[in-house]
């Protein structure tokens, strides 16, 4: 079998590609390109190993110790045994499960609905998709602040609008809320549904974009054939759309579940786990034990005891992505094919149909047991949405069957327009509130005069922000940390991605899987051991602590995406450069990197945005004002019940604008880079 030439060959020579007989014994054992692969993978291996694998191992060791004064004493499994009787821990686990399950259900329903509505549009799809993407783009601290202000029981616009419209008292009479006006974040029965709603608001755009890409990949002739066979819109949805989106839905829900289950920043910024422990997830319990109480062993035990749950989700995701990318090892693939042949087609089909229903039934039963006060309200809301959709679909189908195509199209268009309008109001209302509040005077904010429009327009909040807070310093810190961590991630990921996509060496498969696993490992598993390591290295309360640790969540994703993008570049172009006398390094720099510009820009945009918005590590590692980043600095502006709404709105606007501009100008490169990376990666 022919291959590209070795990196150690002379640049001036252009011999025919060597066969396997020309390889040395070391090359046959370790792979033809093992030397160059080791060079390219070394930076990523050091960072991933030192910042992810070693901290996890250290966390396991820490979980077997207990702090006594200045010393740590080995206690074996005592920390794990203590969790069985820890009411706070049990509540945290239940809260994490409830928070994740309800959020994922509504994200799927609303995301799929939005994707179907956008997919039917012929004009304005890109503009509407960009608007719907805004909640996902804006920093989490902006999301939390805006919704915290909107849900305020006295001054919040939500209660005011619901009261003026008469809907609020109606909700109280229907026992959907205990009393009116409702304390959305201060009442135990409403706090968790409110936090779930905010998470849904922020997560729906991710689902919409993913499902929209999946809908574009479904062949149009399948819908045409179903229409010719007389299938109704519901039948086309059930038998064409859903099967075509099965893989996208599974991957998206699995990945989002990992993120949601380990969410810390949104809940902390909204409620800090209150009232009581009504919204405290297990991550917040770990933070309280390790950082506030300095019981590192107990905190590490909290995160590690949930590792099987996270590991199960990661396993499902890895299997799906590896199968989608066609990267199963040959021996394993042969075993899988043999096993598939041994099973009968009917048994496999029956199992595939039964499994989703079985999982749904188990999850629904657990939700009813864990949160009965939320379950019936969620079921009622979903039922209303489905009934409205079914009624509209029935009317459209009936009109179409009677030959009234014009009336059918009119009803369908009006229903779609109304649904899109409601969705846009839901998405854009909090962002609009931030924009107008930033330009209000302090008197207008306090007196609640002309709440939906600044009267008059003023820059008072911006001038007060820079005059009374070190906001400029926070901004500069965020820029420095984001740019530095992005450069590190981009350089290391480009080298590692090229090695995994092009070079032949033993262990490439294992390295790829390791990178993917570390990509989905949550910060909840890492912040305690990293905090300990930074204390030992005396790097806490410095920007270096963030520059060093941010690659833990940016580098694995960047490597995985660029591996897919490099694999999509035709290898013949690189081989031509090698034949013309280029070395492998020269071909990489002169041919591959210029062609990979969209992928590199997509990675730079994602890593820069993630670093710009990161909260957990900055919140734990930084305590001094002069080193805080924007998310942590904005959180510190709230002292007790004193919330400077105008200054926070101005800060939110200044924080969000750079990210929105980057996404607006980089959307084309982002789409191209993610598409190639998703197909090959």
């Amino acid at each position: 079998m022919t291959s590209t030439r070795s990196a150690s060959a002379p640049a001036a020579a252009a011999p025919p590609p060597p066969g396997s007989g020309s390889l040395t014994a070391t090359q046959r054992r370790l792979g033809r390109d093992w030397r160059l692969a080791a060079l390219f993978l070394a930076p990523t291996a050091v960072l991933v190993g030192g910042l992810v694998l070693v901290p996890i191992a250290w966390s396991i060791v820490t979980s077997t110790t207990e702090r006594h004064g200045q010393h740590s004493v080995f206690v074996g499994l005592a920390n794990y045994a203590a969790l069985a009787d820890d009411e706070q821990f049990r509540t945290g686990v239940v809260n994490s499960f409830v928070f994740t399950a309800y959020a994922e259900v509504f994200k799927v329903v609303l995301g799929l609905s939005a994707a179907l509505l956008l997919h039917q549009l012929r004009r304005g799809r890109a503009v509407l998709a960009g608007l719907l993407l805004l909640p996902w783009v804006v920093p989490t601290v902006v999301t939390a602040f805006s919704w915290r202000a909107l849900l305020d029981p006295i001054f919040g616009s939500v209660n005011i609008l619901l009261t003026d419209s008469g809907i609020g008292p109606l909700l109280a009479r229907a026992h959907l809320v205990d009393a009116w006006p409702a304390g959305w974040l201060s009442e135990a029965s409403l706090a968790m549904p409110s936090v779930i709603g905010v998470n849904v608001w922020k997560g729906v755009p991710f689902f919409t974009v993913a499902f929209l890409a999946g809908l574009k990949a479904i062949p149009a002739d399948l819908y045409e054939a179903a229409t010719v066979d007389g299938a109704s819109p519901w039948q086309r949805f059930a038998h064409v759309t859903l099967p075509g989106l099965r893989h996208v839905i599974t991957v998206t829900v699995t990945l989002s579940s990992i993120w949601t289950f380990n969410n810390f920043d949104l809940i902390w910024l909204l409620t800090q786990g209150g009232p009581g422990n009504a919204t405290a997830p297990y991550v917040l319990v770990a933070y309280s034990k390790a950082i506030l109480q300095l019981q590192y062993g107990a905190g590490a035990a909290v995160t590690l005891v949930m590792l099987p749950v996270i590991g199960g989700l990661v396993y499902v995701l890895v299997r799906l992505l590896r199968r989608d990318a066609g990267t199963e090892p040959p021996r394993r693939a042969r075993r899988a094919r043999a096993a598939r042949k041994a099973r009968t087609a009917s048994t496999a089909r029956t199992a595939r149909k039964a499994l989703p229903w079985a999982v749904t039934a188990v999850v629904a039963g657990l939700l009813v047991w864990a949160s009965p006060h939320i379950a019936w309200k969620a079921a009622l809301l979903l039922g209303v949405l489905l009934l409205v959709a079914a009624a509209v679909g029935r009317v459209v189908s009936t009109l179409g069957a009677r030959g009234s195509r014009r009336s059918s199209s009119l009803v369908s268009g009006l229903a779609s327009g109304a649904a899109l309008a409601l969705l846009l109001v839901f998405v854009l209302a909090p962002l609009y509130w931030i924009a107008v509040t930033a330009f209000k005077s302090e008197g207008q904010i306090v007196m609640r005069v002309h709440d939906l429009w600044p009267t008059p327009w003023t820059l008072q909040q911006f001038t007060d922000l820079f005059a009374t807070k070190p906001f400029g310093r926070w901004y500069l810190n965020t820029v420095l940390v984001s740019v530095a961590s992005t450069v590190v991630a981009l350089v290391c990921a480009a080298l590692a991605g090229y090695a995994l996509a092009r070079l032949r060496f033993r262990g490439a498969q294992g390295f790829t899987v390791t990178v993917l696993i570390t990509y989905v490992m949550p910060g909840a598993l890492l912040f305690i051991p990293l905090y300990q390591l930074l204390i030992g290295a005396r790097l806490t309360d410095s920007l270096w602590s963030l520059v060093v640790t941010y690659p833990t969540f940016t580098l694995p994703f960047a490597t995985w995406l660029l591996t897919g993008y490099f694999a999509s570049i035709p290898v013949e172009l690189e081989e031509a450069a090698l034949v013309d006398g280029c070395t492998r390094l020269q071909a990489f720099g002169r041919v591959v990197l210029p062609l990979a510009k969209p992928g590199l820009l997509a990675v730079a945009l994602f890593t820069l945005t993630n670093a710009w918005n990161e909260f957990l590590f900055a919140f734990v590692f930084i305590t001094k004002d002069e080193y805080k980043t924007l998310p942590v600095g904005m959180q510190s502006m709230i002292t007790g019940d004193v919330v400077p709404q105008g200054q926070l709105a101005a800060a939110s606007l200044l924080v969000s604008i750079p990210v929105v501009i980057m996404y607006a100008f980089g959307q084309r490169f982002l789409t191209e880079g993610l598409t190639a990376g998703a197909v090959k990666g």
Side-chain angles (χ1 to χ4, degrees):
M1 183 177 62
T2 59
S3 60
T4 55
R5 40 177 291 201
S6 171
S8 59
S20 59
S22 63
L23 300 179
T24 65
T26 304
Q27 287 177 322
R28 283 193 294 270
R29 185 171 63 254
L30 299 179
R32 186 196 63 203
D33 303 315
W34 72 273
R35 292 180 184 273
L36 191 60
L39 178 65
F40 275 33
L41 293 175
T44 299
V46 170
L47 288 176
V48 170
L51 297 176
V52 180
L53 301 181
V54 170
I56 290 178
W58 181 254
S59 183
I60 295 174
V61 174
T62 302
S63 68
T64 63
T65 64
E66 185 176 288
R67 189 182 181 94
H68 290 173
Q70 297 296 324
H71 304 284
S72 295
V73 179
F74 178 77
V75 294
L77 300 179
N79 287 321
Y80 295 94
L83 294 178
D85 299 323
D86 192 330
E87 181 65 27
Q88 185 184 21
F89 169 72
R90 291 199 299 268
T91 302
V93 173
V94 172
N95 287 340
S96 294
F97 168 72
V98 170
F99 177 68
T100 302
Y102 284 115
E104 296 309 308
V105 169
F106 281 96
K107 286 177 192 176
V108 170
V109 172
L110 295 179
L112 184 56
S113 301
L116 290 171
L117 292 172
L118 291 176
H119 186 64
Q120 296 174 358
L121 294 179
R122 295 184 179 180
R123 296 180 180 178
R125 181 191 301 171
V127 175
L128 290 176
L131 292 176
L132 291 177
L133 195 64
L134 287 177
W136 189 51
V137 171
V138 298
T140 302
V141 66
V142 176
T143 299
F145 157 69
S146 59
W147 279 102
R148 182 171 172 173
L150 288 171
L151 295 175
D152 185 273
I154 299 176
F155 301 107
S157 298
V158 171
N159 274 358
I160 294 175
L161 291 175
L162 292 179
T163 300
D164 294 342
S165 63
I167 298 176
L170 183 63
L171 294 176
R173 287 195 296 270
H175 301 289
L176 292 173
V177 297
D178 295 335
W180 194 260
W184 299 102
L185 297 176
S186 58
E187 296 180 13
S189 60
L190 292 178
M192 180 60 79
S194 301
V195 172
I196 292 171
V198 176
N199 182 264
V200 170
W201 178 84
K202 189 167 183 62
V204 162
F206 173 73
F207 280 72
T208 302
V209 171
F211 293 161
L212 188 59
L215 288 172
K216 293 178 181 179
I218 299 176
D221 54 0
L222 294 180
Y223 289 102
E224 295 174 359
T227 303
V228 171
D229 291 340
S232 65
W234 169 253
Q235 290 172 326
R236 291 196 297 270
F237 173 76
H239 298 289
V240 179
T241 303
L242 282 183
L245 291 176
R246 182 184 295 115
H247 182 73
V248 175
I249 291 175
T250 306
V251 172
T252 305
V253 170
T254 305
L255 188 58
S256 178
S257 296
I258 296 172
W259 296 338
T260 307
F261 190 78
N262 295 281
N263 187 283
F264 172 85
D265 47 359
L266 183 64
I267 297 176
W268 175 266
L269 291 168
L270 282 172
T271 65
Q272 295 188 5
N277 290 319
T279 59
Y282 88 96
V283 183
L284 198 149
V285 176
Y287 167 80
S288 176
K289 291 181 179 296
I291 307 302
L292 299 182
Q293 303 173 22
L294 296 180
Q295 292 296 333
Y296 300 125
V302 170
T303 60
L304 290 172
V305 80
M306 301 308 299
L307 190 57
V309 177
I310 302 169
L313 294 173
V314 170
Y315 176 77
V316 171
L317 182 64
V318 169
R319 287 294 302 272
L320 288 169
L321 294 178
R322 288 177 63 189
R323 183 178 63 186
D324 186 52
T327 57
E328 289 280 353
R331 184 180 301 174
R332 189 172 184 176
R334 286 196 297 270
R335 290 201 303 266
R337 285 195 297 268
R340 284 195 297 268
K341 290 179 180 179
R343 293 191 300 265
T344 61
S346 59
T347 303
R349 188 162 49 249
T350 302
R352 284 196 299 269
K353 290 182 178 179
L355 183 60
W357 293 107
V359 172
T360 301
V362 171
V363 172
L366 290 174
L367 285 175
V368 172
W369 167 78
S371 56
H373 64 291
I374 302 178
W376 73 270
K377 298 176 184 178
L380 178 63
L381 181 56
L382 286 175
V384 170
L385 293 175
L386 293 177
L387 283 176
V388 171
V392 173
R394 183 66 176 176
V395 171
V396 172
S397 299
T398 302
L399 292 175
R402 294 178 179 177
S404 304
R405 293 187 176 180
R406 185 173 182 179
S407 300
S408 176
S409 300
L410 179 61
V411 172
S412 178
L414 289 175
S416 298
L420 274 176
L422 290 175
L423 186 63
L424 285 174
V425 170
F426 173 66
V427 166
L428 298 180
L431 303 179
Y432 172 81
W433 184 87
I434 289 175
V436 298
T437 303
F439 294 96
K440 293 178 181 178
S441 64
E442 194 64 31
Q444 184 182 358
I445 294 175
V446 174
M447 300 300 296
R448 311 292 299 180
V449 179
H450 302 292
D451 199 39
L452 299 180
W453 193 255
T455 307
W457 288 73
T458 178
L459 297 177
Q460 174 189 350
Q461 305 301 338
F462 295 92
T463 56
D464 291 347
L465 177 66
F466 283 93
T468 61
K469 304 291 189 300
F471 187 78
R473 185 65 200 179
W474 297 342
Y475 217 102
L476 180 61
N477 291 341
T478 305
V479 170
L480 293 175
V481 171
S482 301
V483 172
S485 59
T486 298
V487 170
V488 172
L490 197 60
V491 172
C492 295
L495 295 174
Y498 176 78
L500 295 174
R502 283 285 193 263
L503 304 182
R504 298 180 182 179
F505 60 97
R506 186 177 297 276
Q509 182 66 33
F511 196 94
T512 303
V513 173
T514 301
V515 167
L516 184 57
I517 290 175
T518 55
Y519 164 48
V520 293
M521 280 297 176
L525 292 176
L526 301 175
F527 77 91
I528 295 176
L530 285 176
Y531 181 66
Q532 291 180 280
L533 292 175
L534 291 173
I535 289 178
R538 299 183 182 276
L539 286 179
T540 53
D541 277 325
S542 72
L543 296 183
W544 284 109
S545 65
L546 304 182
V547 174
V548 169
T549 56
Y550 277 7
T552 57
F553 57 86
T554 57
L555 181 56
F557 168 77
T559 302
W560 176 64
L561 181 62
L562 286 181
T563 299
Y565 200 90
F566 286 138
S568 70
I569 298 175
V571 70
E572 293 80 10
L573 299 176
E574 193 175 353
E575 290 177 344
L578 295 174
V579 171
D580 289 341
C582 286
T583 64
R584 181 62 72 96
L585 285 173
Q586 290 172 331
F588 170 67
R590 298 178 182 178
V591 177
V592 178
L593 283 183
L595 293 175
K597 185 183 296 182
L600 295 172
L601 290 175
V603 166
L605 182 59
F606 259 94
T607 53
L608 187 63
T609 304
N610 286 333
W612 188 272
N613 298 342
E614 201 282 327
F615 177 80
L616 177 58
F617 286 2
F619 180 65
V620 173
F621 302 157
I622 303 295
T623 59
K624 296 181 179 179
D625 268 351
E626 60 266 31
Y627 298 121
K628 288 180 179 178
T629 56
L630 285 170
V632 180
M634 290 175 61
Q635 187 269 340
S636 68
M637 292 170 62
I638 302 175
T639 55
D641 295 331
V642 179
V643 181
Q645 292 189 10
Q647 293 184 28
L648 281 171
S652 299
L653 203 60
L654 294 175
V655 170
S656 302
I657 286 176
V659 181
V660 173
I661 292 176
M662 285 189 294
Y663 271 88
F665 284 97
Q667 186 176 6
R668 179 172 63 88
F669 297 105
L670 178 64
T671 303
E672 184 178 348
L674 290 179
T675 301
V679 171
K680 294 293 184 179

